[in-house]
Amino acid sequence: MNDAPLIVVYEDRQSAVPGVELLVRSLALHSPSLSIAVYSPLGEMAALANEITQLNWVPTHDLVGKGWNAKPTILMRGLKDSEQVLWLDSDVIMIGDITPLLARYPSGSLVVGQEFRDRALLRSKIRAEGFGFALARDIPYAVNSGSILADRSHYSLLEEWAALLHRPDYMAAQALPVEQRPPAFVGDQDALWALLVSARFIDIPMDYFRVGRDMILHCGANGYHVTNRIGHIFSCTAVFVHMLGRYKPWSFGKDISARHDRNAYINQICFELSPYFEGAQPFRSYLGEPDWLRRRTMSARLMHRLFFGHRALQGLMPALAGLVTELFGRSRTG
């Protein structure tokens, strides 16, 4: 059995096929020794698997419509074939070799994505108590389930996670708009977070893929935070980008007018200046040269030229504007 983790991905949305292809192709380019399993009902994955030798398509029809709630099930299925698995969301792209990063974590550690920069204690308590658990340990950061490294010692945790995602109160919350859901029931990562701070799983060692050091979280103007950008002026050790949020790269297939949808237009500028956009450029021809992989907005073209295409600096001005807006909002409500 291969000692390297098996990469597992699940996707059943036709609209997200470009994201899966970019993830898989970027893995094949940067980490060619890693095996990938894409669980999906979509026939497009068969053609991709025929082209990329390290990719195995697993036709999967029993999870259609479960969205992010499929994660623990997919992780458990991957663990039947591999001692260790790495889940990646379909809006992740590699910008470097992830193999040395994965080798850094000791056996038995559950590794999750770091959710931005905020401390987690109060929010941990909310998640634990929302699911009926007492808070048993403090973890330093919020949990992001877009990237999860797990091994067979975590199987009982994954089983319990899957069970929580089938609880009637959680499932009822999923039928509500996201902004109306209780904080503990917003999505799958809140349930995993609750378990990790509960007494039952307090002995599981956990670690993070750290924002800035290991990965770049990108969401709107300042998702790739000003402080991380400044830290990346001379060097960047991050090996993957997670494109969080409502707007996905393939959302920008049509030109967006600033007059008709200012928020979407700003997000398009931010995407065209993002490290995800840069990381996707080698694969444009494979995707048929889509419009959304061309830099179309005048603002993005100008800032790209002004900062000589520097990955961290070309988006610094929108990030600074986002930071000022955030701080101003806090001062008005504080």
Side-chain angles (χ1 to χ4, degrees), residues 185-302:
F185 295 159
V186 170
D188 66 290
Q189 66 190 32
D190 302 288
L192 176 60
W193 186 350
L195 289 170
L196 288 171
V197 297
S198 70
R200 180 176 175 185
F201 296 105
I202 194 172
D203 293 329
I204 290 183
M206 66 170 293
D207 208 333
Y208 292 88
F209 297 117
R210 292 288 300 273
V211 171
R213 184 191 69 184
D214 307 321
M215 67 170 173
I216 295 171
L217 282 185
H218 200 287
C219 180
N222 197 32
Y224 182 8
H225 200 275
V226 168
T227 55
N228 292 136
R229 290 177 184 274
I230 293 173
H232 293 165
I233 290 176
F234 298 109
S235 67
C236 176
T237 58
V239 295
F240 67 95
V241 183
H242 186 185
M243 203 75 182
L244 290 178
R246 167 188 168 192
Y247 295 99
K248 300 304 179 186
W250 43 93
S251 301
F252 304 110
K254 297 180 180 179
D255 283 327
I256 298 170
S257 167
R259 289 184 300 174
H260 293 117
D261 193 337
R262 184 173 180 272
N263 188 49
Y265 183 74
I266 291 172
N267 274 274
Q268 182 176 343
I269 293 172
C270 294
F271 164 63
E272 291 179 1
L273 294 169
S274 73
Y276 187 106
F277 183 92
E278 299 294 342
Q281 293 308 302
F283 315 109
R284 282 173 50 177
S285 61
Y286 292 107
L287 274 67
E289 302 287 345
D291 284 345
W292 54 270
L293 281 180
R294 293 188 298 112
R295 191 173 284 108
R296 292 170 292 169
T297 60
M298 181 63 72
S299 297
R301 290 200 298 267
L302 178 62

Side-chain angles (χ1 to χ4, degrees), residues 28 38-39 46 75 92 120 187 195 290 322:
V38 173
Y39 296 78
L75 284 164
V92 167
L195 289 170

Side-chain angles (χ1 to χ4, degrees), residues 25-228:
R25 289 192 183 280
S26 65
L27 279 164
L29 174 65
H30 295 290
S31 304
S33 65
L34 295 179
S35 297
I36 312 161
V38 173
Y39 296 78
S40 176
L42 303 174
E44 288 87 346
M45 298 302 112
L48 199 58
N50 287 335
E51 185 179 347
I52 299 174
T53 57
Q54 70 200 79
L55 173 62
N56 178 37
W57 173 44
V58 185
T60 305
H61 298 276
D62 61 319
L63 299 175
V64 172
K66 290 187 179 295
W68 50 35
N69 297 316
K71 292 178 187 179
T73 301
I74 295 298
L75 284 164
M76 288 187 286
R77 291 180 184 180
L79 287 171
K80 293 178 181 178
D81 301 315
S82 180
E83 182 67 35
Q84 191 177 44
V85 294
L86 171 67
W87 163 280
L88 291 172
D89 279 3
S90 58
D91 54 0
V92 167
I93 195 167
M94 295 294 129
I95 55 173
D97 184 6
I98 197 172
T99 310
L101 172 61
L102 299 178
R104 191 176 69 206
Y105 299 101
S107 177
S109 288
L110 183 87
V111 186
V112 299
Q114 176 190 347
E115 178 89 350
F116 294 110
R117 298 160 49 83
D118 295 341
R119 295 287 298 177
L121 181 58
L122 176 59
R123 291 187 291 162
S124 293
K125 188 172 186 292
I126 291 170
R127 269 78 183 170
E129 293 180 352
F131 282 96
F133 308 136
L135 180 66
R137 69 167 161 182
D138 180 16
I139 59 176
Y141 303 105
V143 172
N144 182 285
S145 62
S147 50
I148 304 171
L149 182 65
D151 62 37
R152 289 178 178 170
S153 70
H154 306 130
Y155 207 89
S156 61
L157 170 69
L158 297 174
E159 288 181 314
E160 186 62 26
W161 184 19
L164 290 188
L165 300 183
H166 285 89
R167 277 181 32 162
D169 51 357
Y170 176 84
M171 295 180 69
Q174 298 307 292
L176 300 172
V178 172
E179 61 274 10
Q180 295 180 21
R181 297 174 192 173
F185 295 159
V186 170
D188 66 290
Q189 66 190 32
D190 302 288
L192 176 60
W193 186 350
L195 289 170
L196 288 171
V197 297
S198 70
R200 180 176 175 185
F201 296 105
I202 194 172
D203 293 329
I204 290 183
M206 66 170 293
D207 208 333
Y208 292 88
F209 297 117
R210 292 288 300 273
V211 171
R213 184 191 69 184
D214 307 321
M215 67 170 173
I216 295 171
L217 282 185
H218 200 287
C219 180
N222 197 32
Y224 182 8
H225 200 275
V226 168
T227 55
N228 292 136

